[in-house]
Amino acid sequence: MTAYEPLSARLNAAFDGCYEAHRASALSGVPQSTVYLWARNGLVTPSVSPTRVKLWSYADLMALRIVYWLRHPKFEIEGSVPASPMPRVHETLAELEQLGLDIWDDSDGRLTSPLRVDASGKIWVDVDGIPHRAGQAAMPESLDLLGPFDVADRRGPDLIRPRPNLRIVPGRVSGEPHLAGSRITTLSAAAVYESLGDYKAIANLYPGFDAEAFRDAVEFESSLAA
């Protein structure tokens, strides 16, 4: 996927990102045992492959975060957890297309995601400070759906810009975190670092990228492993 592909292609790709359970857990911030449990009971079914080797999509990461956030500490509110949040994710991606918002495009200088989730599980699209949801005001308690995820004792990275030099774009390198402006995944960068042990040496192998970009990649992978 390139920066010149239409917005509709990027939104469709949100259901194509491909993550195994351990990766879906690390990126969403939801425990791996919980990711498997919700797959079995149908709460968040893996969109890419629901059987045998289960594979979750980028949109599934959003759904996992929604349900996990709603259950902590709002589990005592009856009906607060939807049977499945995926229809809401579908609706929101369609709304992004209608509004012409490409949240994975860096050209507008956007630093935060416009997607927020309120305590009832509704997803809001915040455009220039105005929440789009039938003209209503967003509820005070809300979650930045794609921003850094910190709930209870769980943490997950920003799902668009996990580090200054890193990006996550659905459809590009299967939705894997990568160096901005490239197809070099953070996993690949970490593997090369394990062999060379020197950021400058890695940068010499990839003209156009400085050592700091590879430092971001390696430290990011270390944080996910932790």
Side-chain angles (χ1 to χ4, degrees):
M1 175 172 292
T2 71
Y4 303 101
E5 284 189 313
L7 173 57
S8 58
R10 290 177 184 258
L11 296 176
N12 289 334
F15 293 90
D16 293 337
C18 191
Y19 311 97
E20 294 185 353
H22 73 282
R23 201 67 171 168
S25 170
L27 292 173
S28 68
V30 176
Q32 184 169 325
S33 59
T34 302
V35 169
Y36 273 125
L37 174 63
W38 290 351
R40 289 196 300 271
N41 64 24
L43 193 57
V44 181
T45 302
S47 298
V48 181
S49 175
T51 59
R52 293 184 178 274
V53 178
K54 292 180 171 57
L55 297 172
W56 286 257
S57 69
Y58 185 95
D60 291 331
L61 304 184
M62 299 164 64
L64 288 168
R65 286 187 168 192
I66 292 171
V67 176
Y68 196 77
W69 182 72
L70 290 175
R71 289 191 164 193
H72 295 80
K74 291 165 284 299
F75 56 85
E76 74 279 359
I77 304 175
E78 185 175 355
S80 66
V81 180
S84 172
M86 286 310 292
R88 294 175 181 177
V89 172
H90 276 279
E91 292 170 3
T92 303
L93 292 174
E95 187 171 2
L96 286 176
E97 183 171 18
Q98 183 178 4
L99 293 170
L101 289 178
D102 187 344
I103 61 177
W104 300 283
D105 182 4
D106 281 335
S107 63
D108 64 355
R110 182 188 297 274
L111 296 178
T112 59
S113 160
L115 303 186
R116 302 197 69 83
V117 181
D118 67 25
S120 70
K122 292 179 181 177
I123 305 175
W124 301 75
V125 180
D126 191 317
V127 182
D128 297 327
I130 303 174
H132 283 245
R133 184 62 72 177
Q136 303 174 31
M139 296 183 68
E141 186 177 15
S142 62
L143 167 74
D144 181 353
L145 183 53
L146 299 179
F149 188 73
D150 191 348
V151 176
D153 61 342
R154 301 296 304 181
R155 287 181 174 81
D158 187 300
L159 288 180
I160 300 178
R161 299 170 183 82
R163 292 286 191 281
N165 293 297
L166 307 180
R167 299 292 182 269
I168 301 177
V169 181
R172 180 174 294 172
V173 289
S174 298
E176 276 294 320
H178 58 275
L179 272 64
S182 81
R183 299 181 68 85
I184 305 170
T185 68
T186 54
L187 284 170
S188 297
V192 175
Y193 178 77
E194 187 174 347
S195 175
L196 298 180
D198 184 272
Y199 296 117
K200 290 185 178 179
I202 303 174
N204 289 335
L205 298 175
Y206 298 93
F209 296 93
D210 58 27
E212 197 59 33
F214 291 98
R215 183 187 299 276
D216 273 358
V218 173
E219 291 183 349
F220 174 70
E221 284 300 326
S222 295
S223 70
L224 291 187

